[in-house]
Amino acid sequence: MVLLIKNGVILSPDHEGQKDVLTAGGNIEAIDENIKLSGIECETIDAKDCYVVPGLIDSHVHICGGGGEGGYKTRTPEITLTDITMAGVTTVVGVLGTDGTTRTMSNLLAKTYALNEEGVTAYAYTGSYQIPVRTVTGSITDDLILIEKIIGTGEIAVSDHRSSVPTVEELSRIASEARIGGMLSGKAGIINLHLGDDRRPLDILYRLLENSSIPITQFLPTHMNRNKWIFKDAVEFGLKGGYIDLTTSTVPKFIEDGEVSSSKAIRILLEEGVHLNQITVSSDGQGSLPVFDEAGKLKELKVGKSSSILECIRELHFDEKLEIEKAIRIATSNPAEILRLRSKGRLKAGYDADIVILKKESLEVDTVICKGRIMVRSGRAIVKGTFE
């Protein structure tokens, strides 16, 4: 399908003013002023009073479900296609989590392939909270080299009562295997670390970095806004050059207990001198949001949503007064560059035609295009998942 988007303000994510976007064959062909076509069958989309932005990247999603901390009935459901597209998300990275037994790497990969067949772009990390890391081939390095859709390892849990309490040596070995696999496959080989509620959660990572030549940018710690002491460490980590991933899904109880909202966290990080390019957000979509009592017993369980990313962007722009083009970066060009997703995260000729049209006044989703295919139009899903 050939699409021509006219009259919209382009955030590529750079603010480029009002221009047209031409897509064909799933790619962006041109971005220019007043593009005109003749002799070509083309569908035109009017983006007047809208921003035209890259499709959002949700880099931490429990696509085949998660949870289970309260028993079998608390296992969260798989994500659906419209959970993704209606959120303005066009690319997801699937993860396992606490449960690496009933949620397996085969399960995760099958869901990754299914989402790609349904029309979005999906990748996966190999492993779960636990170590030894449960992989597909028996090796993190081999998974990265031999399986196209695997781009790193994670989420490996540290500083959490649900983790395997890895040693520095164990985590170093995991990082080395991921780095080598990334180098040999041309992928990022990122190690996605789950941070729990223990004090000084990054100590193990600092000890690793002091005693190895693995760069700080090989790691992407997530949930770095989950409480005040982790967020304090996040500022320090960012000033040292590390990447910071903030979780957008939350519940009021978390905020009451000291979680720093993702939008407020970004404002503080920027004020403290952390570079915007080091910051990403992810939803923890379909992951469980468990609330435990002082004895560690589960009290309440909610489910993360990919839609929380766009909510964060709205709060950043409207409440925290961050320029819209900067707010967009945290879920477009930043994760694309950190995860080395070369055709994602920007509106640029030759890149994938992953495009979202947002209403200027509200930043609500109007249209979502995945690889040149219209998935959401006028705020309604026109393409649904196989069983929706």
Side-chain angles (χ1 to χ4, degrees), residues 15-325:
H15 199 300
E16 299 190 15
Q18 185 170 308
K19 291 184 179 179
D20 299 341
V21 181
L22 177 67
T23 79
N27 297 320
I28 297 172
E29 295 294 322
I31 300 175
D32 209 341
E33 297 178 5
N34 198 25
I35 296 175
K36 294 182 179 179
L37 299 176
S38 60
I40 299 175
E41 186 176 346
C42 172
E43 181 169 352
T44 301
I45 300 173
D46 186 1
K48 184 180 179 182
D49 298 324
C50 293
Y51 292 119
V52 182
V53 308
L56 303 183
I57 298 170
D58 193 347
S59 60
H60 189 107
V61 189
H62 297 270
I63 57 176
C64 57
E69 289 93 342
Y72 298 115
K73 67 182 179 182
T74 64
R75 295 166 77 251
T76 64
E78 290 191 356
I79 202 166
T80 66
L81 180 67
T82 57
D83 287 333
I84 298 168
T85 57
M86 289 293 290
V89 173
T90 59
T91 299
V92 296
V93 181
V95 298
L96 294 178
T98 312
D99 182 2
T101 300
T102 69
R103 311 285 194 185
T104 66
M105 277 306 303
S106 296
N107 184 196
L108 182 65
L109 266 182
K111 183 64 176 182
T112 299
Y113 291 130
L115 288 172
N116 280 281
E117 290 178 359
E118 288 183 330
V120 296
T121 299
Y123 301 96
Y125 288 126
T126 189
S128 60
Y129 273 24
Q130 288 78 32
I131 57 171
V133 176
R134 299 179 183 182
T135 64
V136 180
T137 64
S139 160
I140 294 171
T141 300
D142 290 358
D143 277 12
L144 277 158
I145 295 172
L146 300 176
I147 302 174
E148 178 188 4
K149 292 299 181 181
I150 291 181
I151 60 172
T153 186
E155 58 177 313
I156 308 296
V158 298
S159 66
D160 192 292
H161 65 93
R162 294 163 291 175
S163 81
S164 297
V165 195
T167 65
V168 173
E169 291 74 19
E170 288 171 327
L171 192 58
S172 297
R173 191 172 301 111
I174 290 168
S176 177
E177 290 181 18
R179 180 168 172 78
I180 292 169
M183 293 170 64
L184 294 176
S185 62
K187 301 173 183 175
I190 284 288
I191 300 94
N192 182 250
L193 293 178
H194 164 99
L195 299 186
D197 286 318
D198 294 354
R199 299 284 175 169
R200 302 296 298 174
L202 290 173
D203 279 357
I204 185 173
L205 186 49
Y206 286 138
R207 283 183 281 144
L208 183 157
L209 294 170
E210 288 172 3
N211 293 282
S212 78
S213 57
I214 297 172
I216 195 171
T217 51
Q218 201 69 45
F219 299 89
L220 183 61
T222 190
H223 314 321
M224 297 191 82
N225 55 319
R226 70 181 297 153
N227 58 48
K228 292 180 179 179
W229 58 88
I230 289 180
F231 184 63
K232 182 179 178 181
D233 280 0
V235 174
E236 178 185 349
F237 191 70
L239 293 174
K240 291 178 182 293
Y243 296 136
I244 298 168
D245 188 61
L246 305 166
T247 302
T248 54
S249 292
T250 190
V251 295
K253 177 63 175 174
F254 291 178
I255 301 296
E256 292 172 11
D257 289 345
E259 180 181 279
V260 184
S261 73
S262 52
S263 57
K264 181 180 178 181
I266 291 167
R267 175 180 55 79
I268 295 171
L269 287 167
L270 295 176
E271 289 174 350
E272 292 290 334
V274 177
H275 198 285
L276 178 64
N277 290 351
Q278 296 169 234
I279 305 169
T280 63
V281 294
S282 59
S283 73
D284 207 13
Q286 301 308 118
S288 64
L289 303 176
V291 179
F292 297 95
D293 63 19
E294 293 181 358
K297 184 177 180 181
L298 183 70
K299 292 173 55 179
E300 183 183 5
L301 193 66
K302 300 292 185 180
V303 179
K305 299 293 182 184
S306 282
S307 57
S308 62
I309 289 183
L310 193 51
E311 291 172 11
C312 171
I313 291 172
R314 290 192 195 102
E315 292 173 3
L316 263 179
H317 182 54
F318 293 125
D319 299 337
E320 305 297 340
K321 308 304 179 184
L322 188 67
E323 297 94 326
I324 183 60
E325 59 269 29

